[in-house]
């Protein structure tokens, strides 16, 4: 580093530390991602990270001729600026220029991966950076077709295990750094040795952070591809709808204006009498019903659709009743759909007086006789072989 430019480097480290704190605050925030406060924080973070990116580019910190050992720990952490910028851009929820934002985030991610690859930090066995950094869509599609699902699954499992191991290692290193920051007092030989150990722990922590971010960026790039396709489709649909609305506005004649011959079949109320309707588009077909000599060119049906369209202009969009309820019931009665009349209902069985002992005894004997009959003649007994030949 040049000793004549300490101020830009110092301000860069300060801005980078602020960006790290803001990113941690946003990631731990409980606000909805679509809220105004959340979006204002994300926009401020993007602005700060873009400033850091400009400062890194001006200082030309990273070069392919150097290795990670040639950089100090504070300089090595600045490699994460591009990755943090891509993550912050993903948090923006702008619907108008969503594709441009996603493309900028993907470019930041690829810049981070390319720099990490030039420095030799990327694990080539776990991350296929060449496939992610390629700009040839045909080559990438050919590779995706020739990829082996079993091999991809094994690679994902290995990446997941590596990711978990990195997270545990980073947690342990952060605990060591937190414990070392609290030490104070005069320095002895042992304390100087411990300071050297803390420097090694801090550097190991920076390298682990970069390795972890590489795995996260690879996953985020896969997510960005799908989101970018959906955003491009949405913008294409908006352009088509805007073009259709403009075309409809141009083709629709104003009040008192006479349409030209080209649009004659589209504005006429009785256009179906002159053209057949295409079932695929719902519009009149190009082929006319009559030729220039007035001879029919295809079968057609004469309908009074002009008057029907006129009558239905001011009608509601739902079906109206055609008769009253009384008229409907009368019509159903004439058709025989309503049953009425019938014989006289049987009289109710008189109740027996409790003081009429003879009637009570007779009713009791009648029930006993019926019980004996049902005991001697089970249900269905008359059908058991009685009609056999």
């Amino acid at each position: 580093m040049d000793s004549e430019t300490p101020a830009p480097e110092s301000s860069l480290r300060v801005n980078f530390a602020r960006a790290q704190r803001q990113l941690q605050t946003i990631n731990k925030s409980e606000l909805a991602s679509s809220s105004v406060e959340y979006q204002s924080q994300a926009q401020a973070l993007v602005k700060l990270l873009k400033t850091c990116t400009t400062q890194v580019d001006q200082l030309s910190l990273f070069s392919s001729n150097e290795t990670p050992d040639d950089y100090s720990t504070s300089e090595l952490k600045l490699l994460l600026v591009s990755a943090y910028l891509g993550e912050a851009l993903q948090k923006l929820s702008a619907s108008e220029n969503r594709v441009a934002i996603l493309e900028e985030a993907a470019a930041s991610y690829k810049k981070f991966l390319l720099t990490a690859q030039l420095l030799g930090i990327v694990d080539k066995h776990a991350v296929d950076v060449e496939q992610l950094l390629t700009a040839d869509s045909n080559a990438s599609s050919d590779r995706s077709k020739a990829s082996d699902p079993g091999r991809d699954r094994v690679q994902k499992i290995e990446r997941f295990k590596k990711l978990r191991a990195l997270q545990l290692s980073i947690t342990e290193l952060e605990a060591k750094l937190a414990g070392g920051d609290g030490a104070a007092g005069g320095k002895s030989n042992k304390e100087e040795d411990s300071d050297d150990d803390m420097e090694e722990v801090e550097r190991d922590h920076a390298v682990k952070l970069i390795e972890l971010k590489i795995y996260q960026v690879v996953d985020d790039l896969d997510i960005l591809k799908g989101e970018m396709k959906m955003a491009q489709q949405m913008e294409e649909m908006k352009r088509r709808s805007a073009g259709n609305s403009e075309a409809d506005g141009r083709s629709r004649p104003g009040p008192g204006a006479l349409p030209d011959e080209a649009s004659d079949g589209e504005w006429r109320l009785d256009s179906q009498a002159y053209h057949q309707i295409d079932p695929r588009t719902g519009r009149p077909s190009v082929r006319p019903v009559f030729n220039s000599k007035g001879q029919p060119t295809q079968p057609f049906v004469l309908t009074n659709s002009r008057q029907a369209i006129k009558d239905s202009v001011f009608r509601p969009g739902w079906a109206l009743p055609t008769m009253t309820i009384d008229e409907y019931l009368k019509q159903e009665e004439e058709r025989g759909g309503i049953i009425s009349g019938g014989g006289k209902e049987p009289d109710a069985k008189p109740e027996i007086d409790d003081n009429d002992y003879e009637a009570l005894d007779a009713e009791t004997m009648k029930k006993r006789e019926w019980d004996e009959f049902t005991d001697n003649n089970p249900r269905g007994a008359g059908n058991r072989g009685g009609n056999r030949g």
Side-chain angles (χ1 to χ4, degrees):
M1 297 298 298
D2 190 1
S3 60
E4 296 181 358
T5 58
E9 182 179 356
S10 176
S11 61
L12 172 58
R13 293 177 182 177
V14 172
N15 291 335
F16 180 69
R18 286 176 51 200
Q20 279 186 315
R21 291 193 297 268
Q22 291 183 12
L23 182 61
Q24 292 177 358
T25 302
I26 292 177
N27 289 333
K28 296 179 181 179
S29 176
E30 297 181 355
L31 297 173
S33 60
S34 59
S35 63
V36 178
E37 184 177 357
Y38 184 94
Q39 289 299 313
S40 63
Q41 294 178 3
Q43 291 174 0
L45 177 59
V46 169
K47 184 178 180 180
L48 181 59
L49 286 170
K50 286 185 177 180
T51 303
C52 294
T53 302
T54 304
Q55 292 174 338
V56 170
D57 295 338
Q58 290 175 352
L59 294 174
S60 301
L61 287 177
F62 303 106
S63 173
S64 59
N65 298 326
E66 298 177 348
T67 62
D69 296 336
D70 298 329
Y71 297 95
S72 64
T73 303
S74 59
E75 291 174 347
L76 198 60
K77 289 181 180 179
L78 296 175
L79 181 63
L80 296 168
V81 171
S82 299
Y84 288 161
L85 178 58
E87 183 179 355
L89 287 169
Q90 275 190 285
K91 298 181 184 299
L92 299 179
S93 61
S95 58
E96 296 298 330
N97 54 347
R98 184 62 179 169
V99 176
I101 292 176
L102 295 178
E103 290 177 351
E104 186 177 0
S108 299
Y109 281 149
K110 291 179 180 180
K111 180 181 178 181
F112 165 72
L113 290 177
L114 180 60
T115 308
Q117 186 187 33
L118 292 177
L119 296 179
I121 304 177
V122 178
D123 186 3
K124 296 181 180 180
H125 299 285
V127 180
D128 189 3
V129 181
E130 295 295 337
Q131 182 177 358
L132 296 173
L133 297 179
T134 181
D136 189 0
S137 60
N138 295 329
S140 62
S141 63
D142 293 338
R143 278 193 296 271
S144 63
K145 291 179 181 179
S147 62
D148 185 8
R151 184 187 59 186
D152 295 343
R153 181 175 179 274
V154 172
Q155 290 180 354
K156 287 183 179 180
I157 293 174
E158 292 178 355
R159 283 174 50 196
F160 177 76
K161 291 180 179 180
K162 184 70 174 179
L163 187 64
R164 291 293 301 273
L166 283 173
Q167 290 174 346
L168 293 176
S169 179
I170 289 172
T171 303
E172 294 176 358
L173 292 174
E174 288 177 349
K176 291 181 180 180
L177 290 174
D181 292 339
K187 291 186 178 181
S188 61
N189 294 330
K190 293 183 179 180
E191 290 177 348
E192 290 178 358
D193 295 338
S194 64
D195 290 342
D196 295 337
D197 294 339
M198 291 305 298
E199 290 179 0
E200 292 181 1
V201 170
E202 186 177 0
R203 186 171 185 83
D204 192 13
H205 177 258
V207 174
K208 296 291 184 184
L209 279 178
I210 295 174
E211 292 179 356
L212 176 64
K213 201 62 184 176
I214 289 173
Y215 287 96
Q216 293 176 348
V217 165
V218 171
D219 295 335
D220 290 340
L221 279 175
D222 292 337
I223 297 173
L224 274 178
K225 290 179 182 178
E227 187 176 357
M228 199 175 300
K229 289 181 180 179
M230 291 189 292
Q232 290 174 352
Q233 292 176 359
M234 291 296 295
E235 289 192 358
E236 183 66 23
M237 292 173 60
K238 289 181 180 179
R239 286 195 295 266
R240 289 181 180 178
S241 61
N244 292 336
S245 61
E246 291 178 1
D248 293 341
R250 290 192 301 266
S251 61
R252 187 181 298 109
L258 295 177
D260 54 359
E261 295 180 358
S263 60
D264 183 42
E266 297 182 0
W267 73 272
R268 295 180 67 102
L269 293 177
D270 57 348
S271 60
Q272 296 184 13
Y274 296 90
H275 298 82
Q276 280 193 342
I277 300 299
D278 190 350
R280 294 173 299 177
T281 62
R283 294 184 176 182
S285 61
V286 181
R287 182 184 178 187
V289 179
F290 298 96
N291 56 16
S292 59
K293 297 181 181 180
Q295 299 174 349
T297 59
Q298 54 186 337
F300 62 93
V301 179
L302 294 176
T303 58
N304 191 14
S305 58
R306 184 187 183 94
Q307 187 63 33
I309 295 175
K310 281 184 176 181
D311 295 339
S312 61
V313 170
F314 297 105
R315 291 184 60 186
W318 59 87
L320 297 176
T322 58
M323 64 180 68
T324 62
I325 297 178
D326 295 336
E327 292 174 351
Y328 171 74
L329 293 176
K330 184 177 180 182
Q331 183 178 353
E332 286 295 317
E333 186 177 2
E334 293 176 354
R335 292 174 51 192
I338 300 177
I339 300 176
S340 61
K344 183 180 179 182
E345 296 183 0
D347 297 334
K349 186 178 181 180
E351 297 181 358
I352 302 175
D353 189 4
D354 295 339
N355 297 325
D356 192 356
Y357 297 105
E358 294 181 358
L360 292 174
D361 292 341
E363 184 67 20
T364 303
M365 292 301 297
K366 184 177 180 181
K367 291 181 179 180
R368 288 179 180 177
E369 291 176 357
W370 177 250
D371 292 339
E372 292 177 358
F373 176 79
T374 54
D375 292 340
N376 296 329
N377 300 279
R379 184 170 182 174
N383 297 327
R384 295 180 181 179
N387 295 329
R388 294 180 182 176

